[in-house]
Structure formats: structure tokens, C-alpha cells
């Protein structure tokens, strides 16, 4: 082989990759369990502060940091302070994985709290499973996952829909138009919706997915006009939610006759579109800022004191907040020398805590949470009025739409 | 029938927004040959400018439009005289430089105005819909349609009927020769860039009430705008109009018959095929280079 520039670059690149992959193994073996050294417990905080999903993730970051400060102000956990290692994954799944590696291997965080999108969670999963660490995921998501290295504190489809769909059918009618953004979450939610509708004798008059970031709903609105559904079931996410609501109103539709029923429209989206466009539409979620409870009052007041009186709390920031307190409660149960990510997970399973939405519990088998689904109607002031709350907490069933499959202590059964 | 009419209007409405966003680019790219990847960010600046004027000073949308035009034009003028001016003979470097400017503008807005989505109010008298042939036509969309037509006429007038336009056409045809005749070509380029940027800002201000205002909103617009200009033919105003009409009604039609995801893909496919067999676009401006 002659020594050309190209060959030289190739061989150094290969050596570089091999080096960066092989290197951690050299020292991870004798690194020992230094999870809580020098009177501090390190936790990773991994929410995008820049990039496309920064809008929502910033609020999750805020709620997480607020919970950490609350814990430290109250004396820490068994006398140890929580130290937050903050990384910005910039809304990019590959960067999520990189930063996770850094937080777990270099910083030795005993847990990492992060992610809004499913894509970013899927990207970090291998890291946490391989390194036997623990990831805390506060977002509602599509279910169908059973990792033993993730704590899921957001809602899964059965929790958001089981009471919502029957209520919609009873109140408005049986003809549904399903509109969602084009990725896995809306498709899985719509699967659940279609199963529920079939049981109730309902009818799907249209099912459609628009590209992420889509902002031109003229043709979709014409299809609403043509098919005349009773309910528009929306799992559109992000900026598109705003465009859809604005154009819906401008087209002369009224939520009294054909409301949008959403799983994804929260106080954040409403603040960005203006209350008059959202007023009258419905959302099902475990938490609304307008929920009446003592815990929520304190949560909202502290949040606004810290991040401005215009700021809003919503269903993912609430979960980001209470999951940190779940972590605290779990670590309190563990002896100082025994703190490991797996010990934290085992201590969290079955744990209960008073959250702003109500008392929540971690399911010992599937590591998802028992939550309190509510149906909220958006008001012109940007808040939701809670119309109905489930009478009991609802068990998380991440494989609800897949009979015969279930997530157990030992992993997925019946797949 | 009313569905067909509604769909026709949707197509027109999409086309008018495409044209609005592409107009500024058509001038900058067509007349100056500068591939300005920061064009989307000028649209974004226009939207934020409107939000700022509205939330800070309570200005209604209509007076905002004029102010925003001059604000973003000034920003364009600064970008031209500090960066683009030095890169006229290095087109590839211009692409990189304007892309970088775009990212900086995005982050600057994110740092100063915050990452949260903002909203711009629709004027009260335009927020309803008008019933035409049994179809509710959003009046704000009609407003955009009318204003786009007016801006198109204004642009045509500026380029074809004013002294500035004549000088611009002279510089476009042959910069050296025009300079020999005493035309200050650097000044003409600065003004053109500013005018194009101002139009982009105006587009941002106009679409803000029907879409969301976010720091990265420009990315989608710049892709659409380039598509319109390339299909229409570089340097041809009429080409830009026709191509935005075709792309708009094409997108709306396919989206209605199939869905929006496929509409986007099929329209891109059609553009690729067209550019393969007719790289100069639909309309070619006959001129000597």
C-alpha cells in the first residue's frame, strides 16, 4: 500500500472509531460503585434546549430543575445533595445517545431524566440497557415497550382513551375522523381508538397522517366538510397543532358541532395559538394546569414564581416534576453504600407518591405509572376546564391493543 | 360542486402563500444570482417582528406590515453590505455564508425572544369566513390573496417602470458595462437585496396569523421558495407566478385525493423530473449573459 493522503485518512479514521468504541471497556471494569460519592448523587438531565422540540422540552427541563432544587433545599436525600449534570441533546436522537453515554460513563449518573419524542427514547435505550443504568421518561407515548431500564411516568394509550372515546361517542356521535402527524405515536393511538370505536359501534370516516411540521390544512379541512364527522380525533403534534386550530376556526367550523378531541394539545400549544382558537375543543390527559388540588396549587405557584407569571404547566412538565420526587423517595429507601441504578429501579417499583394530578403509583411489573385521566375542555383564557375525571387511577397497559402480549417483571410475554 | 370550489380556493390560497414567500427570493436569486439560504430566516424575522410590535406596542396587523417591511429590509441591507457583497464572485461560498447567517439568526431569535411558540392575532374584521357558493372561505385567506396580487403588481412596476428597475435590469444583464455607464452597481445590489428581504419579511408577517411563529419556521419556507423559483425559471417573474400556481394547486389536489404526505412527495418527484428535462425551468428569460 502506498502512503497516499486518502489511505492515511482512511486508516486513521478506522483507528479513531475502534479507539473510541474500545476505550470505555478498559476502565469500566474497575470503576466500582461510585454512584454516591462525596456526599452527592449525580443525576443527568437530558432535555433539548435547542432545536425543533426545544419549546416543550425546555418546560420539562424547568420542572425537573425545580424538583431538584426543592429536594436540595429540604436537605437532600439522606443528607446527600443532588447534583444535576445538564446536557443539551439539541432535538437530535443521535446526540441523545452520545450525551447519554457521556452522562452514564464519564459523569457516573445514577439515573438520567430526559426525552420528549419517542425517537429520542428509542435512541438512548441501548445505552441504558447495555450499561445497566436507568432512564426516566416523563412523556405520554404510544406504549408497546417493555424495557427494564426505563421508568415510564407518562400516559400510555389505554389510560388516555379508555374513558375518553366512550364519552365522545355518547356526547357527540359515532362518526370519527382520525387525523395525526405521520409517525409511530399517532398510528398506535389510532389503533387503540379504532378498537374502542368498533366495540362501541362507531365508524371511522377518514384516517389521515400529515408530515411533521405540516402547516397547510386546507385540503384536510375540505375533507372534514365532505365527510361530516361528529368528532375529529387529533394526534397532530408540534407546530401543526397551531396551524390546524387556526385554520379550522377560519374555515367557519364550530367546536359545538364538530369538536376536535386531542391527546396532544396542551396548555403550551394553546398559549402559542391564542385561547380563542382552542376554546371548546377537548383533550384527554392525566393532568391539566387548571386541575383543582392542593398539590397542584403549590406546584403552579412555585413554577410561576420561578419561571414567570405567564409560564404554563402541562401534562409532560408535571410528569417531569413528580418523577424526580419519585426518584427521591426511592433513593431514601436505599442504604448509602447500596445505591446503584438497578437498586433505584427496584426501590421505585410499586412506589406511590402524591403528584399534582393525584396519587400516582409505579406498576411493579411494567414500570409504567397508575395515573388519573381527565377530560378537559379548552377555554378562551388558555386553560382547560376539567369536565370529567376517572373515578379511580387507571392501570397502565402498554400492550393493551395487542391481546396475548403483556409486559411483566421478566420482560415482554407472548410476543 | 361546493367541494370542488372549496378545493380550488385551497389551491389558490396555497399558491398565494408560495408566491408571497418566493417573490423576494425570485428577485434576489433571479437578478443577482445569489443563492440566499437565509431567505427563510428573513420570513421568520418578519413573523417575529409582527409578534414583537403586536405584543409590545399593541399595534394591529395592518400598520405592522409596513413597519416590518422596512425593518427586515434594513436587516437584509446589513447582511448584504457586511457579507454577501464580498462573495459575488464566489457563489458556493455565498451558499455557505448565507446558511450560516440563517443559523445565527435562528439562534439569536431563540436567545432573545425565547424558544416558545408565539402567536400573532388576526385582525378582528378578517377573522371570520365569507360564504361563497355554500363554502366558507376564510376572509384572511382572501386578504392574503389580494395582497399577494398587489405586491406582485408593485414588484413588476418597480422592476419594469422605475429608474431603479431599469438600472437593476442593466446591472443584471452586464454588470461591467452598466458600471461603465455610470450606474453604481454596488448600490443597486444593496437595494435589491434589501427589497427582496423586505418582501420576505412581509411574507412572514402575513402568514404568522395562520401558522405558528417559531425560530425554525423558516426552514420549510426556504425549500418551498427555491422550488417555486427553480420550476418557474430563474429571473422570470411570470414564471414564478405560474409555478407557484401549479405547485399550489397540485399540492392541494393530491392532498385532497390522497393525503398530504404523498402530496409533498409526488410534487417533489414532479419537480425533479421537470428539472431533469428542463433545467432552465418553465419560463426562460431571453437575455445575453
Amino acid at each position: 500500500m502506498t502512503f497516499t493522503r486518502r489511505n492515511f485518512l482512511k486508516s486513521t479514521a478506522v483507528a479513531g472509531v475502534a479507539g473510541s468504541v474500545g476505550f470505555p471497556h478498559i476502565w469500566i471494569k474497575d470503576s466500582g460503585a461510585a454512584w454516591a460519592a462525596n456526599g452527592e448523587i449525580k443525576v443527568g438531565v437530558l432535555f433539548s434546549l435547542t432545536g425543533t422540540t426545544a419549546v416543550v422540552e425546555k418546560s420539562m427541563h424547568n420542572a425537573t430543575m425545580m424538583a431538584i432544587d426543592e429536594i436540595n433545599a429540604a436537605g437532600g436525600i439522606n443528607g446527600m445533595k443532588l447534583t444535576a449534570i445538564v446536557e443539551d441533546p439539541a432535538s437530535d436522537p443521535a446526540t441523545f445517545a452520545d450525551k447519554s453515554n457521556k452522562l452514564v460513563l464519564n459523569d457516573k449518573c445514577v439515573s438520567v431524566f430526559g426525552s420528549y419524542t419517542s425517537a429520542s427514547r428509542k435512541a438512548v435505550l441501548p445505552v441504558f440497557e447495555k450499561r445497566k443504568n436507568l432512564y426516566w421518561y416523563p412523556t405520554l407515548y404510544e406504549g408497546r415497550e417493555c424495557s427494564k431500564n426505563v421508568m415510564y411516568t407518562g400516559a400510555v394509550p389505554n389510560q388516555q382513551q379508555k374513558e375518553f372515546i366512550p364519552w365522545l361517542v355518547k356526547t357527540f356521535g359515532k362518526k370519527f375522523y382520525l387525523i395525526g402527524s405521520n409517525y409511530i405515536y399517532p398510528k398506535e393511538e389510532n389503533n387503540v381508538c379504532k378498537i374502542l370505536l368498533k366495540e362501541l359501534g362507531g365508524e371511522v370516516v377518514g384516517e389521515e397522517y400529515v408530515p411533521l411540521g405540516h402547516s397547510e390544512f386546507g385540503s384536510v379541512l375540505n375533507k372534514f366538510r365532505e365527510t361530516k364527522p361528529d368528532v375529529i380525533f387529533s394526534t397532530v403534534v408540534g407546530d401543526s397543532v397551531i396551524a390546524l386550530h387556526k385554520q379550522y376556526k377560519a374555515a367557519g367550523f364550530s367546536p359545538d358541532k364538530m369538536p376536535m378531541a386531542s391527546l396532544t394539545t396542551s396548555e403550551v400549544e394553546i398559549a402559542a395559538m391564542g385561547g380563542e382558537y382552542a376554546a371548546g375543543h377537548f383533550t384527554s390527559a392525566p393532568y391539566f394546569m387548571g386541575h383543582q388540588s392542593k398539590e397542584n396549587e403549590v406546584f403552579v405557584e412555585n413554577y410561576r414564581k420561578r419561571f414567570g407569571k405567564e409560564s404554563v404547566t402541562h401534562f409532560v412538565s408535571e410528569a417531569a416534576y413528580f418523577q424526580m420526587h419519585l426518584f427521591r423517595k426511592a433513593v431514601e429507601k436505599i442504604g448509602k453504600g447500596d445505591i446503584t441504578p438497578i437498586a433505584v429501579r427496584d426501590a421505585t417499583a410499586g412506589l406511590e407518591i402524591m403528584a399534582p394530578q393525584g396519587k400516582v403509583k409505579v406498576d411493579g411489573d411494567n414500570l409504567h405509572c397508575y395515573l388519573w385521566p381527565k377530560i378537559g375542555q379548552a377555554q378562551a383564557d388558555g386553560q382547560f376546564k376539567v369536565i370529567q375525571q376517572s373515578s379511580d387511577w387507571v392501570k397502565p397497559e402498554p400492550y393493551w391493543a395487542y391481546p396475548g402480549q403483556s409486559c411483566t417483571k421478566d420482560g415482554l410475554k407472548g410476543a | 360542486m361546493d367541494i370542488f370550489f372549496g378545493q380550488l380556493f385551497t389551491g389558490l390560497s396555497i399558491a398565494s402563500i408560495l408566491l408571497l414567500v418566493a417573490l423576494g427570493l425570485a428577485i434576489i436569486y433571479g437578478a443577482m444570482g445569489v443563492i440566499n439560504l437565509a431567505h427563510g430566516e428573513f420570513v421568520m424575522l418578519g413573523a417575529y417582528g409582527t409578534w414583537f410590535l403586536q405584543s409590545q406596542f399593541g399595534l394591529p396587523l395592518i400598520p405592522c406590515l409596513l413597519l416590518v417591511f422596512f425593518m427586515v429590509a434594513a436587516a437584509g441591507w446589513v447582511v448584504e453590505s457586511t457579507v454577501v457583497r464580498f462573495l459575488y464572485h464566489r457563489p458556493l461560498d455565498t451558499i455557505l455564508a448565507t446558511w450560516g447567517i440563517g443559523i445565527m439568526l435562528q439562534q439569536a431569535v431563540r436567545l432573545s425572544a425565547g424558544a416558545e411558540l408565539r402567536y400573532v392575532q388576526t385582525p378582528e374584521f378578517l377573522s371570520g369566513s365569507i360564504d361563497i357558493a355554500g363554502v366558507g372561505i376564510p376572509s384572511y385567506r382572501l386578504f392574503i390573496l389580494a395582497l399577494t396580487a398587489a405586491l406582485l403588481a408593485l414588484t413588476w412596476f418597480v422592476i419594469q417602470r422605475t429608474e431603479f428597475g431599469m438600472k437593476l435590469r442593466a446591472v443584471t444583464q452586464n454588470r461591467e458595462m452598466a458600471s461603465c455607464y455610470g450606474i453604481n452597481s454596488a448600490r443597486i445590489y444593496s437595494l435589491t437585496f434589501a427589497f427582496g428581504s423586505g418582501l420576505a419579511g412581509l411574507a412572514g408577517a402575513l402568514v404568522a396569523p395562520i401558522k405558528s411563529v417559531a425560530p425554525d419556521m423558516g426552514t420549510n419556507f426556504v425549500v418551498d421558495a427555491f422550488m417555486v423559483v427553480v420550476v418557474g425559471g430563474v429571473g422570470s417573474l411570470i414564471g414564478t407566478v405560474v409555478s407557484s400556481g401549479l405547485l399550489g394547486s397540485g399540492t392541494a389536489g393530491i392532498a385532497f385525493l390522497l393525503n398530504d404526505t404523498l402530496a409533498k412527495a409526488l410534487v417533489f418527484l414532479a419537480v425533479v423530473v421537470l428539472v431533469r428535462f428542463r433545467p432552465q425551468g418553465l419560463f426562460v428569460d431571453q437575455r445575453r449573459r
Side-chain angles (χ1 to χ4, degrees), chain A residues 221 225 243-254 277, chain B residues 9 122 126-130 135-141 209-210:
Chain A
L221 292 170
R225 213 187 295 280
L244 176 61
H245 278 83
K246 285 187 164 181
Q247 292 167 24
Y248 170 99
K249 189 173 183 221
F253 293 131
S254 149
Y277 294 100
Chain B
F9 179 78
T122 317
L126 289 172
S127 63
S129 60
I130 300 168
V135 186
I137 302 286
S139 26
Y140 189 73
R141 297 247 178 186
I210 48 171

Side-chain angles (χ1 to χ4, degrees), chain B residues 227 231 246-252 254 261-273:
Chain B
M227 202 159 68
V231 168
L246 282 177
L247 294 175
S249 50
T251 309
I254 302 171
T261 310
L262 273 174
K264 206 156 195 165
L266 289 176
V267 165
F268 267 112
L269 183 69
V271 171
V272 170
V273 172

Side-chain angles (χ1 to χ4, degrees), chain B residues 13 35 44 55 65 83 85 98 109 129 166 180 203 231 246 283:
Chain B
S13 173
I35 297 180
M44 181 268 293
S55 59
L65 293 177
V83 179
R85 163 166 305 184
T98 51
V109 167
S129 60
M166 196 163 67
C180 290
V231 168
L246 282 177
F283 291 80

